[in-house]
Amino acid sequence: MKVGIDSYCYHRFFGEVYEDQEPPEKTMTMQDFLTRAKELDVDGVSLESCFFPTDADIAWFRDLKAQLDEYKFDRVYAWGHPDGLERGQNWEAYDEMIESIPYAKEIGADVMRVVGSSLLFRHEPHGPQVKALAEMFKKAVVVAEDYDVKLAVENLIDFTSDEILQMLEMVDSDYFGLNFDTGNFLRLLDDPVRGMEILAPYVLATHVKDLMPDKNARATDWFFFAGVPVGMGLIDNQTLAELLNQANFKGFLAVEIDHPHTDWTNREDEAVALSVKELKRIAAALD
């Protein structure tokens, strides 16, 4: 089992600062992130394309690939933050997703994380959303197959594990699977372990979170279950990794910290380093 990092851990440093956060003292480029990931001695990275330069051209992507190759990183191209296809209703976003597939191929990624819906729409009826997204993804996988890039939809505080399974079965393609976020099911009060038990065969990529209730957040806040280093929260990531291993998962366990717990305010990098250490322990136990 391999270990990696999703670049969203450093979203403040890329310019996305939540209302209750402070801007960092320094900023970060994608190349800086790769350098830090190399220092932490991980096997792979998931790169959030929302933090790529708006003027990125083919030369920029080729230079990025060269750095990824130099560091021998496994890689996932991540598209869709924050609301992706907006529950199957945003065709402009669909076109953007399709246009991103060649860029994923350009950096050497064989998996592209995609977003179908988000917490913004979680209180709307889910059945019509799942149906609309399945129709979109049926079209998208035709293009993805041409580029030999698999699409991995993320559970983004939108659908339960049963609803994700329904979508996967409706699309029914070897080029469509799941980016399993270990924390986001909990945020819907859906058991992550049960989710992995039914979804492990479909998992192409991961976001490994650990979460704890934050007394400084309201229970209705999406970040009430806030990020802490892996091993310090409620998520049984050990069991989740074991289930992935039993399913012959070939990807990597990618640390992701979105909204840090109050106790970890402005300590993202420390939390990432501790999470990597714990995931390496988990991975070694699986060998």
Side-chain angles (χ1 to χ4, degrees), residues 110 141 144-145 148-151 168 171-178 202 204:
D110 55 13
V141 293
E145 186 170 1
D148 197 24
V149 173
K150 295 182 178 181
L151 305 182
L168 292 165
V171 177
D172 189 24
S173 170
D174 291 339
Y175 280 82
F176 187 66
L178 176 62
Y202 301 92
L204 300 174

Side-chain angles (χ1 to χ4, degrees), residues 18-273:
Y18 298 157
E19 290 183 359
D20 61 336
Q21 292 183 317
E22 298 176 355
E25 294 182 358
K26 63 178 182 178
T27 59
M28 177 180 279
T29 67
M30 197 56 61
Q31 288 74 18
D32 294 333
F33 165 70
L34 294 183
T35 299
R36 180 58 179 145
K38 180 63 175 177
E39 291 171 350
L40 291 171
D41 192 29
V42 296
D43 305 298
V45 289
S46 177
L47 304 179
E48 297 287 339
S49 61
C50 59
F51 299 136
F52 291 170
T54 55
D55 60 351
D57 57 14
I58 198 68
W60 185 88
F61 283 101
R62 287 174 179 167
D63 287 344
L64 186 68
K65 181 180 185 299
Q67 189 176 3
L68 288 163
D69 290 346
E70 178 186 351
Y71 293 163
K72 295 181 173 59
F73 282 154
D74 289 2
R75 63 212 68 169
V76 171
Y77 186 108
W79 173 90
H81 176 74
D83 302 310
L85 301 174
E86 297 184 0
R87 78 247 196 251
Q89 301 302 314
N90 190 332
W91 284 96
E92 289 185 6
Y94 173 86
D95 291 339
E96 179 185 301
M97 179 181 72
I98 295 300
E99 291 166 0
S100 297
I101 295 174
Y103 293 123
K105 187 68 174 181
E106 192 66 47
I107 67 167
D110 55 13
V111 173
M112 182 170 125
R113 188 289 307 272
V114 295
V115 174
S117 192
S118 73
L119 62 91
L120 188 65
F121 310 105
R122 68 192 183 282
H123 297 306
E124 297 180 12
H126 288 191
Q129 295 187 49
V130 171
K131 182 178 180 180
L133 286 167
E135 291 304 314
M136 271 189 168
F137 286 129
K138 284 180 182 178
K139 292 169 57 69
V141 293
V142 176
V143 180
E145 186 170 1
D146 286 342
Y147 284 91
D148 197 24
V149 173
K150 295 182 178 181
L151 305 182
V153 67
E154 182 178 350
N155 54 306
L156 203 67
I157 322 179
D158 44 17
F159 303 123
T160 66
S161 54
D162 288 327
E163 290 163 340
I164 291 288
L165 179 61
Q166 182 184 11
M167 188 189 304
L168 292 165
E169 291 177 339
M170 290 173 72
V171 177
D172 189 24
S173 170
D174 291 339
Y175 280 82
F176 187 66
L178 176 62
N179 186 110
F180 192 107
D181 187 298
T182 68
N184 283 345
F185 281 134
L186 176 61
R187 286 169 165 162
L188 289 177
L189 303 184
D190 191 20
D191 179 11
V193 172
R194 178 187 174 275
M196 187 65 83
E197 287 172 346
I198 65 174
L199 294 171
Y202 301 92
V203 176
L204 300 174
T206 67
H207 284 165
V208 180
K209 288 187 175 77
D210 211 344
L211 305 175
M212 283 291 289
D214 194 330
K215 66 180 181 181
N216 293 298
R218 296 176 300 175
T220 52
D221 289 333
W222 70 268
F223 53 86
F224 173 74
F225 290 106
V228 295
V230 174
M232 297 186 184
L234 300 173
I235 308 297
D236 186 0
N237 284 301
Q238 175 83 52
T239 296
L240 296 175
E242 290 171 358
L243 290 168
L244 279 174
N245 196 46
Q246 292 167 15
N248 200 29
F249 173 62
K250 298 300 184 183
F252 54 92
L253 303 173
V255 176
E256 187 194 39
I257 298 171
D258 46 24
H259 196 296
H261 192 281
T262 301
D263 293 345
W264 291 88
T265 298
N266 300 337
R267 297 169 64 192
E268 299 98 323
D269 188 63
E270 181 184 357
V272 168

